């Protein structure tokens, strides 16, 4: 088991820019794509993810300090620190069940495809950490019950794959991702609440007439409605809320404008490599299985390049901090996961066809509930993090919006606690 764990950790440490091209190359060969075409596409996809990661790094490196500055500027005093998804992922990979769950979750996906329970082939191995986090939750709460941990991971994975199937039609149309869907755990979980709430908001008289998608904004405001200019203004406002002087606020604005300008171009590079493989897989499956459809499951990073998505996510950053202060019962100090809010709203924005007003309102409901769930998850999350995370001075409890504030993980937590109480 130790040897298996070490092998898995070595592969995972290579990162998505290595794992994904290898997975794509193997899958392409399985579906009878020529070696040269498969290799070129795989490398192009890897380069695309390098570009996406660089832009995401630009976002987090600039937005993280700004969020911390807002926390300091407003003197927020909350007892549970949001340490962000990277620490939650590291803690999940470090649990004893992680090495076993990766091949088991992949095998389950293949079985579900064969049984026609899902149309999604999830090749985003790195993001299997969401499934493993569910398994780790069950493992910790039950005192090390392996079988129950595997059950929790399987339940989480099945629900995510079904959500990805249901979201595929409108996300493919909105983001232009033909043959692709996004079974990213946090994205799928947030859509469980956000998509129906967004639909309800769109039916409220008065609010239903409010439309603010990037196209209509640009048409109305000209250059000031362009995505990079919107990013500039949002960045300046966040900087000023954080107590930055005008120069630093403008610098933050330029960085966020850069994110909104560059991200679609990085996604375009990735899609240049992905579309030939996706088309080949669909053609092969359609011919061999009489028109059956299969979608490739990839990271929701593919969606955050859309101006409506990232604008919604950035607007929700200061709103989430404000809600953290005023919501009764919340003890989570949002920090580490603020920069990943665009991932949470991906399906919500697509379901609202890019209407930023409706998406922000739905996102507020999602983030409010995430804060309360993350607060409730604090004790178990803290136990999971011991030994893999250096707690900052004065911090006794940690959580994360991505894992602790995720309704699927929270449901797994309650399921595990009920199981432990009964048995």
């Amino acid at each position: 088991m130790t040897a298996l764990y070490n092998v898995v950790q070595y592969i995972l440490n290579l990162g998505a820019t290595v794992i994904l091209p290898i997975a794509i190359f193997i899958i392409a060969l399985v579906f009878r794509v020529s070696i040269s075409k498969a290799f070129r596409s795989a490398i192009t996809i890897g380069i695309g993810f390098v570009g996406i990661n660089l832009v995401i790094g630009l976002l987090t490196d600039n937005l993280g300090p700004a969020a911390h500055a807002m926390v300091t500027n407003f003197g927020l005093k909350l007892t549970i620190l949001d340490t962000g998804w990277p620490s939650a992922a590291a803690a999940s990979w470090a649990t004893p069940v992680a090495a076993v769950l990766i091949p088991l979750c992949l095998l389950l996906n293949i079985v579900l495809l064969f049984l026609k329970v899902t149309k999604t082939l999830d090749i985003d191995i790195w993001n299997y950490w969401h499934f493993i986090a569910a398994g780790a939750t069950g493992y910790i709460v039950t005192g090390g019950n392996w079988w129950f941990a595997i059950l929790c991971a399987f339940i989480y994975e099945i629900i995510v794959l079904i959500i990805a199937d249901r979201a595929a039609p409108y996300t493919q149309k909105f983001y232009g991702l033909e043959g692709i869907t996004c079974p990213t755990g946090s994205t799928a979980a947030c859509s469980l609440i956000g998509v129906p709430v967004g639909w309800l908001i769109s039916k409220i008289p008065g609010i239903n007439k409010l439309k603010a998608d990037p196209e209509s904004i640009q048409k109305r405001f000209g250059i000031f409605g362009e995505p990079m200019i919107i990013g500039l203004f949002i960045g300046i406002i966040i900087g000023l809320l954080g107590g930055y002087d005008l120069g630093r606020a403008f610098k933050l604005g330029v960085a966020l404008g850069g994110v909104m300008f560059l991200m679609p171009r990085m996604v375009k590079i990735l899609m240049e490599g992905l579309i030939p493989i996706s088309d080949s897989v669909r053609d092969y499956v359609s011919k061999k299985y009489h028109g059956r459809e299969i979608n490739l499951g990839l990271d929701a990073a593919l969606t955050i390049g859309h101006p409506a998505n990232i604008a919604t996510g950035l607007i929700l950053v200061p709103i989430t901090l404000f809600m953290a202060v005023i919501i009764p019962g919340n003890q989570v100090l949002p920090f580490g996961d603020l920069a990943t809010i665009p991932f949470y709203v991906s399906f919500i924005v697509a379901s609202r066809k890019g209407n930023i007003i409706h998406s922000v309102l739905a996102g507020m409901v999602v983030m409010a509930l995430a804060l309360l769930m993350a607060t409730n998850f604090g004790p178990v999350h803290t136990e999971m993090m011991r030994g893999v995370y250096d707690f900052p001075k004065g911090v006794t409890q940690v959580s994360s919006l991505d894992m602790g504030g995720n309704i699927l993980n929270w449901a797994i937590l309650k399921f595990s606690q009920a199981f432990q109480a009964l048995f």
Side-chain angles (χ1 to χ4, degrees):
M1 185 60 66
T2 301
L4 176 62
Y5 175 81
N6 290 336
V7 170
V8 170
Q9 287 300 316
Y10 174 79
I11 295 172
L12 291 172
N13 288 337
L14 295 175
T17 55
V18 174
I19 295 173
L20 187 60
I22 292 174
I24 288 286
F25 182 72
I26 294 172
I27 288 170
L29 294 182
V30 169
F31 287 100
R32 310 291 175 85
V33 178
S34 67
I35 293 178
S36 59
K37 183 178 179 181
F39 183 74
R40 186 184 187 284
S41 292
I43 297 303
T44 303
I45 289 166
I47 291 170
F49 255 102
V50 168
I52 288 173
N53 288 338
L54 286 172
V55 179
I56 291 175
L58 176 65
L59 174 65
T60 54
D61 289 347
N62 285 275
L63 192 56
H68 185 267
M70 279 193 285
V71 169
T72 304
N73 194 42
F74 289 108
L76 303 185
K77 302 293 182 184
L78 297 165
T79 59
I80 303 175
L81 178 65
D82 163 28
T83 56
W85 72 265
S87 59
S92 300
W93 291 125
T95 55
V97 293
V100 172
L101 282 175
I102 293 174
L104 286 180
C105 287
L106 181 58
L107 178 62
L108 175 63
N109 187 189
I110 293 170
V111 170
L112 294 175
L113 271 172
F114 179 76
L115 296 176
K116 298 184 180 181
V117 175
T118 182
K119 296 186 290 185
T120 298
L121 176 59
D122 188 359
I123 59 175
D124 185 17
I125 305 297
W126 168 252
N127 268 312
Y128 276 34
W129 82 261
H130 289 98
F131 310 149
I132 293 169
T137 301
Y139 182 84
I140 288 173
V141 172
T142 59
N145 187 320
W146 280 69
W147 295 110
F148 186 77
I150 293 170
L151 174 64
C152 289
F154 279 7
I155 291 172
Y156 191 109
E157 180 180 12
I158 291 169
I159 295 172
V160 167
L161 291 173
I162 291 172
I163 293 172
D165 286 341
R166 299 290 179 86
Y170 61 82
T171 54
Q172 288 174 359
K173 182 177 180 180
F174 182 74
Y175 294 116
L177 301 174
E178 187 177 356
I180 308 298
T181 190
C182 301
T184 304
S186 52
T187 304
C190 289
S191 74
L192 270 179
I193 301 171
V195 170
V197 168
W199 179 84
L200 287 172
I201 287 170
S202 71
K203 302 301 179 183
I204 298 174
I207 295 178
N208 61 352
K209 298 188 186 308
L210 298 176
K211 186 179 180 182
D213 58 73
E215 291 77 16
S216 60
I217 291 173
Q218 187 167 350
K219 185 177 179 180
R220 186 164 195 166
F221 296 101
I223 185 175
F224 295 103
E226 291 185 16
M228 64 178 178
I229 304 300
I230 293 173
L232 172 69
F233 286 143
I234 293 174
I236 291 173
I237 291 169
I238 290 175
L240 295 176
L241 288 173
Y244 284 13
D245 59 40
L246 191 57
R248 288 184 68 199
F250 186 77
K251 184 177 179 180
L252 176 63
V254 172
L256 297 191
V259 169
M260 296 191 72
F261 182 81
L262 293 171
M263 184 61 81
R265 286 155 176 78
M266 297 303 104
V267 172
K268 186 176 179 181
I269 293 172
L270 188 145
M271 293 304 297
E272 181 183 327
L274 192 59
I275 287 173
I277 300 297
S278 177
D279 288 344
S280 297
V281 170
R282 285 205 318 279
D283 290 344
Y284 178 86
V285 171
S286 180
K287 290 176 183 176
K288 191 170 182 65
Y289 297 101
H290 309 292
R292 189 179 173 195
E293 179 187 0
I294 285 184
N295 294 314
L296 295 182
L298 289 172
D299 196 328
L302 288 174
T303 67
I304 70 168
H306 196 284
N309 188 317
I310 200 161
T312 299
L314 293 178
I315 290 169
L316 283 168
V317 169
I319 292 175
T320 301
L321 283 167
F322 177 70
M323 290 194 300
V325 178
I326 66 171
I327 292 176
N330 173 61
Q331 290 299 317
V332 171
L333 176 61
F335 177 59
D337 274 329
L338 288 174
T340 55
I341 293 178
F343 285 83
Y344 307 159
V345 299
S346 289
F347 288 177
I348 300 170
V349 172
S351 71
R352 294 298 93 224
K353 299 178 181 178
N355 190 318
I356 296 171
I357 295 174
H358 293 177
S359 300
V360 168
L361 292 173
M364 287 172 64
V365 176
V366 170
M367 297 313 298
L369 292 174
L371 289 167
L372 293 174
M373 289 186 288
T375 296
N376 184 252
F377 215 117
V380 172
H381 204 297
T382 301
E383 185 179 347
M384 189 182 299
M385 298 287 283
R386 294 197 187 282
V388 296
Y389 178 75
D390 293 326
F391 285 60
K393 186 177 179 180
V395 173
T396 58
Q397 277 200 69
V398 296
S399 191
S400 67
L401 296 176
D402 195 300
M403 191 182 111
N406 174 324
I407 191 171
L408 291 180
N409 258 335
W410 185 79
I412 290 292
L413 172 67
K414 298 295 114 178
F415 175 49
S416 303
Q417 291 172 338
F419 178 88
Q420 180 66 5
L422 289 173
F423 301 102

